Amino acid sequence: MRRRSAAGVVRGLLVLLGVLLTGCQSPSGGAAEDGPLGGSASGTDRTSAVSPAPARPSGYGAVFLAVGECSSFGTTSFSEVPCAGERAAARVVTRHDGTVRDGPRCPATTDFVLHISEQRPSSDEDGDGAVPQGYACMRNLQPPHPGDPGGGGGPRTIVGDCVYSSGDGQVRETACDGRGEREPEYKVTRAVPKRSGCPDSTALYVRLGGDRPVGCARPL
């Protein structure tokens, strides 16, 4: 009886030892792995540890003439260049698809507008090989700034600008300091929604556009 009991105890210990050895092995028969910081390498943890795809680079070349980027000299023939380069002439203030006629207006102090025809350059909007038709509102990197009030140019006439009569009821902008080709005759002093909002000293109404489309101009 004592021999049978001793044998049973030995068999029980062997079974228990086998269970313990089996529990030390990792699932699927592979060795246990640690993540990059010593964490579990289960399927869920491996998925969360995968780095996201790198973001598309910003700045020069990422988007053709994006806001903040620069162009070379010229309004009809130009290219995108690094703003720190010697060929850089003007910076993009705003950029819109479509045409100037149908799109948003450029900021008041824009010096000039670049009209971008649809093309297929090496650097484009989204990597599909095409740049849609659009326009960029530009500001010169260095003076002069014709878009400033009284500067004598720019795509918009704003308060502080001077104009002269070009005939047939039309006026054109010129520099207020007299350095332009034509002497200034009137100066826009106020922008109002309607003519009735202009002061009594107004001698000329100038079309400005926007939510205050009437410019009140006094003679110089």
Side-chain angles (χ1 to χ4, degrees):
M1 294 294 293
R2 290 180 180 177
R3 291 179 181 176
R4 292 195 188 104
S5 297
V9 171
V10 172
R11 282 196 298 270
L13 289 175
L14 291 175
V15 171
L16 179 59
L17 180 61
V19 171
L20 292 175
L21 290 174
T22 302
C24 291
Q25 295 179 353
S26 63
S28 303
E33 299 178 359
D34 289 333
L37 299 179
S40 170
S42 64
T44 302
D45 288 339
R46 281 196 298 268
T47 301
S48 62
V50 174
S51 300
R56 195 173 183 183
S58 60
Y60 167 62
V63 177
F64 185 68
L65 284 182
V67 173
E69 293 178 350
C70 294
S71 73
S72 60
F73 294 90
T75 58
T76 57
S77 178
F78 59 90
S79 60
E80 180 183 321
V81 296
C83 289
E86 60 182 12
R87 295 181 59 206
R91 190 184 305 272
V92 180
V93 180
T94 58
R95 166 86 147 78
H96 304 285
D97 291 339
T99 63
V100 174
R101 181 186 300 272
D102 301 325
R105 306 176 76 202
C106 284
T109 56
T110 298
D111 287 331
F112 64 95
V113 178
L114 286 182
H115 298 272
I116 303 168
S117 60
E118 186 173 357
Q119 52 189 298
R120 297 180 178 275
S122 57
S123 297
D124 66 347
E125 298 286 333
D126 52 12
D128 63 356
V131 173
Q133 181 183 18
Y135 59 98
C137 308
M138 309 296 295
R139 177 83 173 171
N140 292 331
L141 295 179
Q142 302 292 334
H145 294 290
D148 284 349
R156 293 179 54 183
T157 301
I158 60 177
V159 173
D161 281 341
C162 294
V163 297
Y164 67 92
S165 176
S166 61
D168 299 329
Q170 301 294 317
V171 295
R172 293 186 182 279
E173 191 175 335
T174 188
C176 288
D177 60 9
R179 291 185 298 179
E181 294 182 359
R182 297 289 299 268
E183 289 292 323
E185 298 176 356
Y186 305 90
K187 185 172 185 177
V188 180
T189 60
R190 187 178 301 180
V192 296
K194 298 180 180 180
R195 290 189 177 188
S196 58
C198 288
D200 294 338
S201 59
T202 299
L204 181 72
Y205 301 102
V206 181
R207 183 181 302 172
L208 304 181
D211 56 353
R212 293 178 177 268
V214 179
C216 314
R218 62 174 177 82
L220 294 175

